[in-house]
Amino acid sequence: MRIGIAGIAGRMGRLLAEEVTAAGATLAGGTLRPGSTKSPPSGAKVLPDAATLFAAADVVIDFTHAEEAAPHALLASAAGKGLVLGSSGLNAAQERAVAEAAAKIPVVYAANFAPGVNLVLALAEKMAAALPGAAYDAEIVEMHHRQKVDAPSGTAVAMGRAVAKGRGTTLEEAGTESGRDGHTGPRATGAIGFAALRGGQVVGEHTLLFASATEHIALTHRSFDRRAYATGAVRAALWLQGRKPGLYSMMDVLGM
């Protein structure tokens, strides 16, 4: 299987290249982000643009930036190639573009590719179903490295969606609270709270708290190495081989 990597010289791109080789797949090459001065991994083929990358690969893994999600999904659809998308911070229009591409090609789109995080998401949904919003406030606290540009993180939002789903609603209908400052008034019942911390080089920490008048329950996941995401993304790319068009999640890949 030929796997291409968008942004192959970045931190994730380099790890992905290593994991593609370790998995026994063929590294079809990769692209550099515009203006990048970083060197690609040794021996990796640098292709001039994303269109060339999709032509050369069976599946492309993209962890670059939300702004690239829609154009890359369009290129994948036009080329008839699979797409593994790990970029966070997509807006509604960008997510629609990915969903439209998935009508023609197989796409794995996930907020997080680490197996442990996906297990936490499954547990979050079950816990929320058992702990009603009228009695248990749900708060999500996440911390990432200082370079991260979107907040809350995609994984934190996925946690919020899991909680809402467990309670038979959506995140939009449940309502969210974040960035509390000053005289905010009492907390809204049933809303899902978010707090985003940024500093240092934290790979990723997420904690889901259920707080009632009588008890607190915490569910936490900590990432110590980005390789967990790279290993999961390559696993997803290999899983796509022979799949029908559709929008899949990492939970589909893991059989959860």
Side-chain angles (χ1 to χ4, degrees):
M1 189 177 193
R2 300 171 301 163
I3 300 177
I5 300 171
I8 198 169
R11 284 183 297 186
M12 275 301 300
R14 300 182 75 87
L15 288 173
L16 286 165
E18 292 176 8
E19 291 301 310
V20 167
T21 301
T26 298
L27 181 60
T31 55
L32 302 180
R33 293 191 66 176
S36 174
T37 58
K38 296 179 180 179
S39 300
S42 177
K45 184 187 299 183
V46 176
L47 301 175
D49 51 45
T52 308
L53 178 63
F54 279 98
D58 299 310
V59 176
V60 170
I61 303 176
D62 178 13
F63 274 76
T64 54
H65 194 278
E67 292 179 357
E68 301 296 334
H72 284 176
L74 184 61
L75 286 171
S77 177
K81 305 298 178 67
L83 176 64
V84 174
L85 181 60
S87 299
S88 61
L90 273 64
N91 59 34
Q94 290 161 340
E95 290 193 338
R96 280 197 301 273
V98 173
E100 289 171 3
K104 299 179 180 178
I105 58 168
V107 177
V108 175
Y109 172 40
N112 196 304
F113 284 85
V117 166
N118 286 276
L119 177 59
V120 165
L121 294 177
L123 291 172
E125 183 178 336
K126 291 182 179 297
M127 291 172 71
L131 304 171
Y136 288 82
D137 297 320
E139 292 282 323
I140 298 164
V141 182
E142 55 99 341
M143 183 169 185
H144 284 81
H145 52 88
R146 67 195 315 274
Q147 292 89 1
K148 188 169 178 60
V149 298
D150 59 301
S153 69
T155 301
V157 173
M159 277 186 170
R161 295 194 186 284
V163 170
K165 184 177 180 181
R167 291 177 171 173
T169 185
T170 66
L171 187 59
E172 291 73 21
E173 291 174 350
T176 62
E177 292 190 4
S178 63
R180 300 183 182 104
D181 183 47
H183 192 275
T184 61
R187 188 190 194 286
T189 300
I192 298 172
F194 291 89
L197 312 180
R198 296 288 178 267
Q201 293 302 316
V202 177
V203 174
E205 297 181 0
H206 296 84
T207 296
L208 169 61
L209 293 164
F210 290 100
S212 76
T214 56
E215 62 179 354
H216 288 184
I217 305 165
L219 183 62
T220 297
H221 180 277
R222 292 186 178 91
S223 295
F224 301 106
D225 193 326
R226 290 178 178 81
R227 191 172 296 277
Y229 311 145
T231 303
V234 172
R235 180 175 177 178
L238 295 171
W239 181 86
L240 278 181
Q241 191 165 29
R243 297 285 168 184
K244 295 180 179 179
L247 186 58
Y248 301 100
S249 71
M250 192 58 188
M251 288 192 181
D252 294 315
V253 176
L254 297 172
M256 295 173 62

